[in-house]
Amino acid sequence: NRRLDAEHPDHVPSPCVSVCVLDANGVLCVGCFRTLDEIAAWGLLDAGAKRSVLAALPARRSAHRSP
């Protein structure tokens, strides 16, 4: 049940924004800024690993948008 999963204390929501397009280098999704490996593994990662991925996203977003 997704509602119960979302209420679980270890639930970490996906950063997916349904803009699934890779950057010019084919490395990062330009919607959520995760790598393909991170996207593929998301459902298998524990909460700590998911939080680590989420923590890396703001820097990736900034680096991607910098000239």
Side-chain angles (χ1 to χ4, degrees), residues 1-55:
N1 186 320
R2 285 183 183 250
R3 184 169 171 258
L4 292 177
D5 288 345
E7 294 172 357
H8 192 277
D10 284 338
H11 174 74
V12 180
S14 170
C16 180
V17 294
S18 298
V19 179
C20 305
V21 178
L22 292 179
D23 65 5
N25 297 320
V27 177
L28 293 177
C29 172
V30 298
C32 67
F33 296 95
R34 291 180 292 170
T35 66
L36 283 179
D37 288 343
E38 290 167 343
I39 292 166
W42 188 261
L44 304 173
L45 297 175
D46 64 25
K50 289 178 180 179
R51 288 185 186 101
S52 293
V53 170
L54 291 178

